[in-house]
Amino acid sequence: DVKVTQSSRYLVKRTGEKVFLECVQDMDHENMFWYRQDPGLGLRLIYFSYDVKMKEKGDIPEGYSVSREKKERFSLILESASTNQTSMYLCASSADGTSQETQYFGPGTRLLVL
Amino acid sequence: AQSVAQPEDQVNVAEGNPLTVKCTYSVSGNPYLFWYVQYPNRGLQFLLKYITGDNLVKGSYGFEAEFNKSQTSFHLKKPSALVSDSALYFCAVRDWGGNNRLAFGKGNQVVVIP
Protein backbone atom coordinates (compact mmCIF):
# COMPACT_ATOMS: atom_id res chain seq x y z
CA ASP A 1 0.00 0.00 0.00
CA VAL A 2 1.05 3.54 -0.71
CA LYS A 3 1.90 5.42 2.43
CA VAL A 4 2.08 9.18 2.67
CA THR A 5 2.98 10.57 6.08
CA GLN A 6 2.93 14.11 7.39
CA SER A 7 5.13 15.21 10.24
CA SER A 8 2.40 16.65 12.46
CA ARG A 9 -1.33 16.14 12.83
CA TYR A 10 -1.84 19.41 14.72
CA LEU A 11 0.28 22.54 14.96
CA VAL A 12 -0.19 25.82 16.78
CA LYS A 13 2.03 28.72 15.72
CA ARG A 14 2.17 32.44 16.28
CA THR A 15 1.87 35.12 13.63
CA GLY A 16 5.21 35.81 12.01
CA GLU A 17 6.76 32.44 12.81
CA LYS A 18 8.39 30.37 10.09
CA VAL A 19 6.55 27.07 9.76
CA PHE A 20 7.72 23.83 8.16
CA LEU A 21 5.33 21.09 7.13
CA GLU A 22 6.96 17.84 6.08
CA CYS A 23 5.59 15.12 3.84
CA VAL A 24 7.17 11.77 3.06
CA GLN A 25 5.98 9.07 0.63
CA ASP A 26 7.35 5.54 0.41
CA MET A 27 6.31 4.52 -3.11
CA ASP A 28 8.98 6.23 -5.19
CA HIS A 29 6.40 8.56 -6.72
CA GLU A 30 7.64 11.30 -8.99
CA ASN A 31 4.85 13.78 -8.33
CA MET A 32 4.05 15.38 -5.00
CA PHE A 33 1.44 18.00 -4.12
CA TRP A 34 0.48 20.37 -1.32
CA TYR A 35 -3.14 21.43 -0.88
CA ARG A 36 -5.00 23.43 1.67
CA GLN A 37 -8.55 22.55 2.59
CA ASP A 38 -11.04 25.08 3.88
CA PRO A 39 -14.77 24.62 4.51
CA GLY A 40 -16.84 25.47 1.46
CA LEU A 41 -13.77 25.89 -0.75
CA GLY A 42 -12.72 22.28 -1.22
CA LEU A 43 -9.06 21.56 -1.93
CA ARG A 44 -6.88 24.23 -3.44
CA LEU A 45 -3.46 23.44 -4.88
CA ILE A 46 -0.60 25.43 -3.37
CA TYR A 47 2.48 23.92 -5.03
CA PHE A 48 3.46 20.71 -6.71
CA SER A 49 6.66 19.01 -7.76
CA TYR A 50 7.25 16.53 -10.55
CA ASP A 51 10.88 15.78 -9.81
CA VAL A 52 13.61 16.40 -7.27
CA LYS A 53 14.45 20.09 -7.02
CA MET A 54 11.59 20.93 -9.40
CA LYS A 55 8.54 22.87 -8.30
CA GLU A 56 5.53 24.49 -9.90
CA LYS A 57 3.10 27.02 -8.49
CA GLY A 58 -0.43 25.91 -8.00
CA ASP A 59 -3.48 28.10 -7.67
CA ILE A 60 -2.66 29.82 -4.36
CA PRO A 61 1.15 29.94 -3.89
CA GLU A 62 1.32 33.36 -2.22
CA GLY A 63 2.85 33.22 1.24
CA TYR A 64 4.22 29.72 0.73
CA SER A 65 7.36 28.10 -0.60
CA VAL A 66 8.39 24.48 -1.04
CA SER A 67 11.49 22.32 -1.06
CA ARG A 68 12.14 18.96 -2.61
CA GLU A 69 15.73 17.86 -2.02
CA LYS A 70 14.95 14.14 -2.07
CA LYS A 71 12.41 12.24 -4.11
CA GLU A 72 10.46 10.95 -1.14
CA ARG A 73 10.20 14.24 0.77
CA PHE A 74 8.30 17.42 -0.05
CA SER A 75 8.28 20.29 2.43
CA LEU A 76 5.88 23.21 2.61
CA ILE A 77 7.22 26.39 4.20
CA LEU A 78 5.26 29.31 5.53
CA GLU A 79 7.87 32.06 5.57
CA SER A 80 5.94 34.27 7.99
CA ALA A 81 2.75 32.67 9.21
CA SER A 82 -0.42 34.73 9.20
CA THR A 83 -3.83 34.05 10.69
CA ASN A 84 -5.36 33.57 7.23
CA GLN A 85 -3.10 30.55 6.80
CA THR A 86 -5.00 28.70 9.51
CA SER A 87 -6.21 25.66 7.63
CA MET A 88 -5.94 21.94 7.02
CA TYR A 89 -2.91 21.10 4.86
CA LEU A 90 -2.89 17.94 2.79
CA CYS A 91 0.03 16.34 1.01
CA ALA A 92 -0.41 13.89 -1.88
CA SER A 93 1.76 11.91 -4.27
CA SER A 94 1.27 10.14 -7.57
CA ALA A 95 3.31 8.09 -10.00
CA ASP A 96 4.43 9.48 -13.31
CA GLY A 97 4.06 8.24 -16.87
CA THR A 98 0.39 7.72 -17.51
CA SER A 99 -1.85 10.70 -17.02
CA GLN A 100 -4.54 8.88 -15.12
CA GLU A 101 -2.50 8.09 -12.06
CA THR A 102 -4.29 8.34 -8.77
CA GLN A 103 -3.16 10.77 -6.11
CA TYR A 104 -2.62 9.31 -2.64
CA PHE A 105 -3.06 11.54 0.36
CA GLY A 106 -1.50 11.88 3.78
CA PRO A 107 -3.60 12.29 6.96
CA GLY A 108 -3.34 16.07 6.94
CA THR A 109 -1.90 18.71 9.27
CA ARG A 110 -4.32 21.05 10.97
CA LEU A 111 -2.51 24.35 11.47
CA LEU A 112 -3.72 27.10 13.78
CA VAL A 113 -1.97 30.46 13.55
CA LEU A 114 -2.62 32.75 16.50
CA ALA B 1 -9.88 25.20 -17.47
CA GLN B 2 -11.09 21.89 -16.16
CA SER B 3 -13.59 21.94 -13.31
CA VAL B 4 -16.16 19.90 -11.45
CA ALA B 5 -19.30 21.02 -9.68
CA GLN B 6 -20.92 19.34 -6.73
CA PRO B 7 -24.27 21.12 -6.50
CA GLU B 8 -25.36 19.95 -3.05
CA ASP B 9 -23.55 20.93 0.14
CA GLN B 10 -25.08 18.11 2.17
CA VAL B 11 -26.89 14.90 1.39
CA ASN B 12 -29.01 13.25 4.07
CA VAL B 13 -30.09 9.66 3.61
CA ALA B 14 -31.61 7.02 5.85
CA GLU B 15 -29.55 3.93 6.56
CA GLY B 16 -30.37 1.20 4.05
CA ASN B 17 -31.60 3.62 1.41
CA PRO B 18 -29.77 4.29 -1.87
CA LEU B 19 -27.15 7.03 -1.74
CA THR B 20 -26.34 9.35 -4.64
CA VAL B 21 -23.76 12.13 -4.62
CA LYS B 22 -23.85 14.32 -7.71
CA CYS B 23 -20.96 15.64 -9.79
CA THR B 24 -20.87 17.40 -13.14
CA TYR B 25 -17.70 18.21 -15.02
CA SER B 26 -16.31 20.57 -17.61
CA VAL B 27 -13.18 19.56 -19.55
CA SER B 28 -11.49 20.47 -22.79
CA GLY B 29 -9.92 17.04 -23.29
CA ASN B 30 -10.76 13.49 -22.31
CA PRO B 31 -12.54 13.40 -18.94
CA TYR B 32 -10.51 11.49 -16.38
CA LEU B 33 -12.74 11.54 -13.30
CA PHE B 34 -12.17 10.55 -9.68
CA TRP B 35 -14.07 10.20 -6.42
CA TYR B 36 -12.43 10.52 -3.02
CA VAL B 37 -13.85 10.20 0.50
CA GLN B 38 -12.66 11.95 3.65
CA TYR B 39 -13.60 10.66 7.08
CA PRO B 40 -13.41 13.07 10.05
CA ASN B 41 -9.88 14.25 10.82
CA ARG B 42 -8.40 12.10 8.08
CA GLY B 43 -6.83 12.60 4.67
CA LEU B 44 -8.61 11.78 1.42
CA GLN B 45 -9.02 8.16 0.37
CA PHE B 46 -9.36 7.12 -3.25
CA LEU B 47 -12.69 5.44 -4.07
CA LEU B 48 -12.77 5.00 -7.84
CA LYS B 49 -11.92 6.54 -11.18
CA TYR B 50 -13.16 6.66 -14.76
CA ILE B 51 -10.60 6.76 -17.54
CA THR B 52 -12.19 4.90 -20.42
CA GLY B 53 -14.31 1.83 -21.06
CA ASP B 54 -17.52 0.91 -19.23
CA ASN B 55 -19.61 3.83 -18.10
CA LEU B 56 -20.31 2.11 -14.77
CA VAL B 57 -17.23 2.05 -12.58
CA LYS B 58 -17.04 -0.01 -9.41
CA GLY B 59 -14.90 1.06 -6.50
CA SER B 60 -14.13 0.53 -2.83
CA TYR B 61 -16.65 -0.02 0.00
CA GLY B 62 -19.49 -0.93 -2.37
CA PHE B 63 -19.50 2.40 -4.20
CA GLU B 64 -19.93 2.80 -7.93
CA ALA B 65 -20.17 5.75 -10.27
CA GLU B 66 -21.83 6.24 -13.62
CA PHE B 67 -20.15 8.26 -16.34
CA ASN B 68 -22.66 10.05 -18.57
CA LYS B 69 -21.05 11.92 -21.43
CA SER B 70 -24.21 13.57 -22.74
CA GLN B 71 -25.02 15.01 -19.33
CA THR B 72 -21.36 15.59 -18.41
CA SER B 73 -21.99 13.88 -15.10
CA PHE B 74 -20.21 11.37 -12.88
CA HIS B 75 -22.54 10.66 -9.99
CA LEU B 76 -21.42 8.45 -7.11
CA LYS B 77 -23.86 5.79 -5.94
CA LYS B 78 -24.29 3.13 -3.32
CA PRO B 79 -27.33 0.83 -3.28
CA SER B 80 -27.67 0.68 0.50
CA ALA B 81 -26.10 3.35 2.70
CA LEU B 82 -24.42 2.58 6.03
CA VAL B 83 -23.99 4.92 8.98
CA SER B 84 -20.24 4.49 8.49
CA ASP B 85 -20.58 6.08 5.02
CA SER B 86 -21.12 9.45 6.72
CA ALA B 87 -18.19 11.49 5.43
CA LEU B 88 -17.12 14.22 3.03
CA TYR B 89 -17.03 13.19 -0.63
CA PHE B 90 -14.98 14.93 -3.31
CA CYS B 91 -15.25 14.65 -7.07
CA ALA B 92 -12.15 15.53 -9.12
CA VAL B 93 -11.14 15.78 -12.77
CA ARG B 94 -7.75 15.52 -14.43
CA ASP B 95 -6.46 18.97 -15.17
CA TRP B 96 -4.85 18.92 -18.58
CA GLY B 97 -2.67 21.82 -17.56
CA GLY B 98 -0.07 19.19 -16.84
CA ASN B 99 1.75 17.02 -14.32
CA ASN B 100 -1.16 14.96 -13.06
CA ARG B 101 -2.94 17.89 -11.49
CA LEU B 102 -6.47 17.30 -10.30
CA ALA B 103 -9.20 19.91 -10.00
CA PHE B 104 -11.43 19.15 -7.02
CA GLY B 105 -15.01 20.05 -6.31
CA LYS B 106 -16.01 21.73 -3.06
CA GLY B 107 -17.14 18.47 -1.50
CA ASN B 108 -20.43 16.99 -0.33
CA GLN B 109 -21.13 16.15 3.28
CA VAL B 110 -23.07 12.89 3.45
CA VAL B 111 -25.03 12.17 6.60
CA VAL B 112 -26.51 8.69 6.96
CA ILE B 113 -29.27 8.66 9.53
CA PRO B 114 -29.69 5.48 11.59
Side-chain angles (χ1 to χ4, degrees), chain A residues 28-47:
Chain A
D28 202 35
H29 283 171
E30 289 80 7
N31 304 305
M32 296 188 75
F33 307 82
W34 275 107
Y35 296 89
R36 62 177 284 176
Q37 179 183 7
D38 300 288
L41 298 178
L43 272 69
R44 293 180 291 168
L45 182 64
I46 305 171
Y47 267 97

Side-chain angles (χ1 to χ4, degrees), chain A residues 34-46 59-60 87-90 105, chain B residues 4 6 9 38 44 88-92 102-108:
Chain A
W34 275 107
Y35 296 89
R36 62 177 284 176
Q37 179 183 7
D38 300 288
L41 298 178
L43 272 69
R44 293 180 291 168
L45 182 64
I46 305 171
D59 300 319
I60 51 164
S87 187
M88 170 74 114
Y89 290 88
L90 293 166
F105 284 80
Chain B
V4 292
Q6 297 182 245
D9 290 334
Q38 184 181 35
L44 274 67
L88 192 55
Y89 291 80
F90 289 95
C91 183
L102 294 178
F104 285 86
K106 294 184 178 181
N108 273 124

Side-chain angles (χ1 to χ4, degrees), chain A:
Chain A
D1 280 351
V2 175
K3 191 166 185 182
V4 180
T5 57
Q6 295 182 229
S7 51
S8 304
R9 294 300 304 275
Y10 301 94
L11 273 181
V12 180
K13 297 293 181 180
R14 296 210 173 271
T15 301
E17 279 192 79
K18 192 169 185 176
V19 182
F20 293 87
L21 302 182
E22 303 285 338
C23 175
V24 177
Q25 50 93 4
D26 67 356
M27 284 301 292
D28 202 35
H29 283 171
E30 289 80 7
N31 304 305
M32 296 188 75
F33 307 82
W34 275 107
Y35 296 89
R36 62 177 284 176
Q37 179 183 7
D38 300 288
L41 298 178
L43 272 69
R44 293 180 291 168
L45 182 64
I46 305 171
Y47 267 97
F48 63 100
S49 169
Y50 52 90
D51 201 352
V52 176
K53 297 191 186 296
M54 305 300 289
K55 60 185 179 184
E56 293 279 346
K57 292 181 179 178
D59 300 319
I60 51 164
E62 296 79 18
Y64 303 93
S65 63
V66 290
S67 172
R68 192 160 180 208
E69 297 296 318
K70 293 184 178 181
K71 191 175 185 179
E72 67 271 19
R73 187 179 298 269
F74 192 35
S75 303
L76 180 69
I77 303 156
L78 286 65
E79 297 290 344
S80 177
S82 63
T83 55
N84 63 13
Q85 291 178 310
T86 290
S87 187
M88 170 74 114
Y89 290 88
L90 293 166
C91 176
S93 72
S94 71
D96 205 1
T98 50
S99 61
Q100 61 263 34
E101 287 299 336
T102 303
Q103 288 188 20
Y104 296 91
F105 284 80
T109 295
R110 193 168 292 279
L111 173 66
L112 172 63
V113 182
L114 300 173

Side-chain angles (χ1 to χ4, degrees), chain B residues 63-95:
Chain B
F63 283 93
E64 58 189 27
E66 186 169 10
F67 172 69
N68 188 317
K69 189 173 182 178
S70 63
Q71 297 185 4
T72 62
S73 67
F74 189 57
H75 300 332
L76 181 70
K77 299 180 181 183
K78 187 171 184 180
S80 178
L82 302 173
V83 172
S84 57
D85 293 328
S86 298
L88 192 55
Y89 291 80
F90 289 95
C91 183
V93 65
R94 171 76 159 87
D95 184 339

